[in-house]
Amino acid sequence: IAPIEASFAGLWPEARLANLLDDTLASDLAREGELTAAMTTRFLNLARYARSCDADAILFTCSAFGPCIEACAHELAPMPVLKPNEAMIERAVTMGRRIGLLSTFPPTLASMPPEFPASVQVVPKLAEGALAALDRGDRATHDRLIVEASKDLRDCDVIALAQFSIAATAPLVAEATGRPVVTTPDSAVDKLMTLLGVKA
């Protein structure tokens, strides 16, 4: 929640936010090893609840659940329902043909690359151990492991940080690699503003 709130605060402070959290979805996906119909139902229930609260748009913030979010977008159309990474992907492909995709959550590196157009090459990279460090509350180790992993992406045109939870490391990754870095939350807020007709 903190990374997306930070992006809204910096880019669109007037927006009214409501955070809905199902904090067992990621662990359930890790345990199951694949998306299930029950997970899609849980996403649909969250989306329907948000709509019932008069939301103007919905932004999901876990990048490993693309098909679940697509089901929500289909049902709630024409309400804007964004996957967390779609705006970042749109931005990244305008910046080069070889895109480094850095993540701390292995399922993301399985689900997200197919969302990029075939015209680009996606180079996936897992920052091993970083998510476990964050779960322990060790932000310093989390950030260090991300920066170390990013150095393997120095031959890419741009580095895309695949999760909201790692967005704050963007300046560190840019410094370590010398490459431009795009993040999911900033890209998503920019796209929501466009879709809802809000001027920057």
Side-chain angles (χ1 to χ4, degrees):
I1 291 173
I4 189 58
E5 288 187 336
S7 290
F8 271 104
L11 299 171
W12 188 10
E14 301 82 11
R16 286 196 309 122
L17 308 181
N19 298 307
L20 305 178
L21 175 65
D22 182 342
D23 63 359
T24 62
L25 277 162
S27 59
D28 289 348
L29 175 56
R31 186 184 67 250
E32 294 287 344
E34 63 182 3
L35 297 175
T36 66
M39 292 175 192
T40 298
T41 298
R42 288 160 69 182
F43 270 80
L44 286 166
N45 288 338
L46 285 169
R48 292 165 184 154
Y49 179 76
R51 180 178 59 186
S52 76
C53 295
D54 296 324
D56 295 310
I58 299 172
L59 170 63
F60 285 100
T61 59
C62 186
S63 51
F65 294 91
C68 300
I69 299 166
E70 289 166 5
C72 296
H74 178 75
E75 178 173 311
L76 272 62
M79 173 191 280
V81 177
L82 298 190
K83 290 184 282 189
N85 41 293
E86 66 182 84
M88 181 193 68
I89 290 171
E90 291 169 3
R91 181 174 289 179
V93 299
T94 69
M95 301 172 69
R97 295 180 57 84
R98 183 174 167 85
I99 300 170
L101 184 64
L102 184 58
S103 176
T104 63
F105 188 51
T108 296
L109 295 179
S111 66
M112 193 185 294
E115 297 178 25
F116 284 80
S119 59
V120 301
Q121 178 187 8
V122 177
V123 182
K125 179 64 180 180
L126 178 67
E128 294 190 34
L131 186 59
L134 186 63
D135 288 343
R136 294 192 307 269
D138 187 352
R139 170 67 70 171
T141 297
H142 168 268
D143 292 358
R144 177 179 56 78
L145 292 172
I146 290 170
V147 170
E148 289 176 1
S150 74
K151 294 175 182 177
D152 289 342
L153 301 174
R154 284 182 284 204
D155 61 343
C156 295
D157 299 313
V158 58
I159 297 173
L161 302 185
Q163 296 144 268
F164 281 54
S165 59
I166 64 176
T169 65
L172 301 175
V173 171
E175 181 180 0
T177 63
R179 312 312 301 162
V181 177
V182 292
T183 71
T184 43
D186 282 357
S187 301
V189 173
D190 282 341
K191 181 165 184 174
L192 281 175
M193 293 175 72
T194 298
L195 289 173
L196 295 174
V198 177
K199 293 183 179 180

